[in-house]
Amino acid sequence: YNIYSLAANTTYTVKLVRNCTQFAPGSDYALSDPVYVTFTTLCDPMTITATEYFEEGFNGYTGSTDYTYNSTNGIVPDCWTAYTEGTIKPHITKSVSYLWHHGDDPNTLYFYGASSTNSYLALPVFSNDFSELQVSFWMQTEGSSGTLTLGYITSEDVNFNTYQVLDTYENHSNSTIDMVQRITYLAFKDIPSSATRLVFRWAHPESSWHGCCIDDVVVKLAPSCYPMGTLSSGELGSTSANLSWTLVDP
């Protein structure tokens, strides 16, 4: 039996009873005891345009005050999906010791690091071709071990078995320095048409528990002309100057 015209990203509870026709209609025994099922419909895909982009700063949520995750203390936003091979899923937490945030709000998204485990955080579904997009965010790591990557999946299996890496980010670990911004231009990546979602992965190969924080994730249309990197002056004369520059590496 199919139910139609439901609202996206909405939780429903369905009640089902059996009509026992062998009894007289309206009698005390005409209906069975009810059974229930509760489910939440999927989110509608988001479309990124020149004037409308996706931004998530993890603000306004009741973030965990420690490293743990449970159903009421430590969550992810609607339309995101968290999974871990260990025991603690990626989750929103408040910035406490060794956890960092970007901007004024203390919330951040924390990946717990455990021995030889991977943790995944899938972004919402976008209707755009991924080659049209760029992804930017701010990050900080607790130590030099562990690797944060951005990739994609090609099927919605709960264990993220189809995950493929698109970009690998250099660790940034220093408790006295603010988070650093990373940007990935997807137009320069080899992404198959079968890719369904973009996914962050924190891979931690060692026995220590060092984790990673990300904040202020933005997905928008990539520029038609990519920005310059740095410009500097070198050897100077009275009537000449030597200039050098770098290009942004997509």
Side-chain angles (χ1 to χ4, degrees), residues 42-230:
L42 300 179
C43 296
D44 281 333
M46 301 180 184
T47 300
I48 306 300
T49 69
T51 57
E52 295 183 359
Y53 57 89
F54 172 79
E55 182 175 18
E56 179 58 73
F58 311 109
N59 304 331
Y61 297 92
T62 303
S64 170
T65 56
D66 55 28
Y67 305 107
T68 61
Y69 177 103
N70 57 53
S71 60
T72 58
N73 188 20
I75 59 175
V76 295
D78 288 347
C79 306
W80 295 63
T81 303
Y83 170 75
T84 183
E85 297 170 354
T87 58
I88 300 178
K89 296 179 183 180
H91 61 279
I92 298 171
T93 185
K94 294 186 181 298
S95 183
V96 294
S97 178
Y98 296 107
L99 300 182
W100 296 267
H101 69 279
H102 179 251
D104 296 330
D105 189 277
N107 283 1
T108 189
L109 196 292
Y110 177 64
F111 293 85
Y112 179 80
S115 176
S116 301
T117 59
N118 296 318
S119 293
Y120 300 86
L121 182 70
L123 280 72
V125 177
F126 300 103
S127 63
N128 303 72
D129 188 302
F130 288 159
S131 64
E132 300 176 340
L133 305 176
Q134 72 174 49
V135 180
S136 65
F137 63 97
W138 296 77
M139 69 172 289
Q140 181 80 295
T141 56
E142 293 182 73
S144 59
S145 60
T147 303
L148 181 69
T149 58
L150 177 70
Y152 64 86
I153 55 174
T154 57
S155 67
E156 295 294 324
D157 64 284
V158 296
N159 297 324
F160 292 83
N161 290 320
T162 62
Y163 182 81
Q164 297 293 320
V165 174
L166 291 172
D167 214 347
T168 301
Y169 304 106
E170 180 183 357
N171 282 356
H172 176 70
S173 175
N174 190 324
S175 61
T176 64
I177 299 177
D178 198 3
M179 301 177 101
V180 294
Q181 189 180 39
R182 307 296 191 202
I183 302 177
T184 293
Y185 300 101
L186 297 179
F188 291 87
K189 306 300 178 181
D190 184 16
I191 307 176
S193 59
S194 57
T196 58
R197 295 178 77 176
L198 296 170
V199 180
F200 287 108
R201 182 183 69 182
W202 175 245
H204 200 273
E206 299 182 7
S207 58
S208 61
W209 49 264
H210 289 159
C212 174
C213 295
I214 64 171
D215 204 355
D216 289 343
V217 179
V218 177
V219 180
K220 61 182 181 180
L221 294 182
S224 57
C225 184
Y226 290 90
M228 295 292 300
T230 60

Side-chain angles (χ1 to χ4, degrees), residues 33-45:
D33 291 335
V35 292
Y36 300 88
V37 63
T38 297
F39 58 87
T40 301
T41 53
L42 300 179
C43 296
D44 281 333

